[in-house]
Amino acid sequence: MYNSKISGLGYYVPDHVVSNDDLTQLMDTSDEWIQERTGIQERRWVKPGSGETTSSMGVKAAKIAIERAGIDKNEIDFIVFATLSPDYYFPGPGVTVQKELGIKTVGALDVRNQCSGFVYGLSVADQFIKTGMYKHVLVIGSELHSHGLDKTTRGRGVSVIFGDGAGAAVLSRTEDTTKGILSTHLHSEGEHAEELSLIAPGMGKRWVTDILADNSEQDESYYPYMNGQFVFKNAVVRFSEVIMEGLNKNELTPQDIDMLIPHQANLRIAQFIQKKFKLSDDQVYNNIQKYGNTTAASIPIALTEAWEKGKIKEGDTVVLAAFGSGFTWGSAIIKW
Ligand code: UT7
């Protein structure tokens, strides 16, 4: 058996900064409301007409991660791409990344687990490496939310939260089984699938012909829906459970955590977890203030930033944890 370790990290966010005050030009909201409820001060949205896509941002993050891993792109054995905002309904962006990077015909898998997509993707990559099947797996989380949000007052409960961006990690084989990804823990509860969902253009509820025939501006099914308070209540419980599950599995306690990178859903959720586990500010990394909630991209962006700032050092215990639509949630315990 081998372990997998993160050998390279990268992220990319569009230049275009959208402040809370900018949003007040589009809808009835305020900087005060957004900061108080979410902690968000600004987010990045791709400039309309820039041609930026979920896969193009993913490619930019991936190039940095591959370079930092010190490998040639042709050493990548497999691609895992997590997103809820693919360029096309199908095929998923994994194959676009394969093409854009000019990587030989390696497999490309698309993961549809929304906010926990990166942790799910990391877990899949980890299993492939642990069993010896692959040596280097590229895992990307990328989202282009801004094209799909309802930017009117009707959609303000959702649209002020989400931002665009991408993060990537290269996972590489190591023979030192005391290092790297120690364990991953994945869960779901499909009973609550519709509490945070985008119904159209799924084929489950209506046929495309019906949707086209309706052709109604009042049709909200093309916009994401979130039962915010219900999601919040579930998030704080599941985050806590899945972090503890990972720590227990590795005979660790919250005080052993050197760096917790929670999915950047809401600063209040991260602060609740920090308080519950009695963690200091140095033990938790948040950047939702600058980027909003970038769903599958939020953990790899935050992880890369924390690493770039020297907040993660060799030998550190790093915990990743996510919760979101599905509901799905998960954690990863990493010895750096
Ligand atoms: O990443 C995936 C996981 N996602 C999460 O974990 C998110 C979890 N949920 C949340 O973060 C919070 O529920 C939100 C930030 C989404 C919303 O905060 P809230 O404190 O739960 O607000 P609410 O939805 O209960 O709305 C409170 C009030 C409502 O007005 P009334 O009915 O009290 O008059 C809303 O209409 O705030 C109003 N409101 C807004 N006002 C100004 C909702 N959105 C806005 C807005 N600006 N953007």
Side-chain angles (χ1 to χ4, degrees), residues 236-255:
V236 291
V237 173
R238 298 308 192 185
F239 263 109
S240 307
E241 278 177 12
V242 82
I243 292 169
M244 267 328 289
E245 182 184 346
L247 293 173
N248 288 337
K249 166 86 181 166
N250 294 285
E251 297 177 1
L252 298 167
T253 70
Q255 280 319 307

Side-chain angles (χ1 to χ4, degrees), residues 29 33 37-38 115 156-157 160-161 228-229 231 263 266 269 293:
T29 189
W33 190 96
R37 307 282 175 134
T38 70
C115 303
R156 66 183 180 174
V160 301
I161 299 166
Q229 292 198 5
V231 174
H263 160 55
N266 183 323
I269 294 176
N293 178 341

Side-chain angles (χ1 to χ4, degrees), residues 1 18 51 60 80 87 120 125 128 162 179 185 208 280 318:
M1 280 293 260
V18 179
K60 286 176 182 159
V80 183
D87 304 356
Y120 266 73
F128 276 131
F162 292 100
K179 285 252 174 91
H185 307 270
V208 172
S280 69
V318 177

Side-chain angles (χ1 to χ4, degrees), residues 141-168:
S142 179
E143 304 287 359
L144 199 167
H145 283 301
S146 59
H147 283 180
L149 298 171
D150 178 356
K151 296 181 187 122
T152 68
T153 299
R154 182 179 67 176
R156 66 183 180 174
V158 172
S159 54
V160 301
I161 299 166
F162 292 100
D164 301 338

Side-chain angles (χ1 to χ4, degrees), residues 14 32 38 45 54 213-214 248 274 301:
E32 193 191 2
T38 70
W45 282 355
T54 294
D214 284 355
N248 288 337
Q274 176 173 349
I301 293 175

Side-chain angles (χ1 to χ4, degrees), residues 109-150:
L109 174 73
D110 292 286
V111 168
R112 295 293 311 273
N113 286 77
Q114 295 66 249
C115 303
S116 56
F118 185 79
V119 174
Y120 266 73
L122 204 70
S123 181
V124 169
D126 181 44
Q127 311 313 314
F128 276 131
I129 290 176
K130 278 204 168 101
T131 55
M133 184 159 169
Y134 295 134
K135 261 190 180 167
H136 302 287
V137 180
L138 173 63
V139 186
I140 301 171
S142 179
E143 304 287 359
L144 199 167
H145 283 301
S146 59
H147 283 180
L149 298 171
D150 178 356

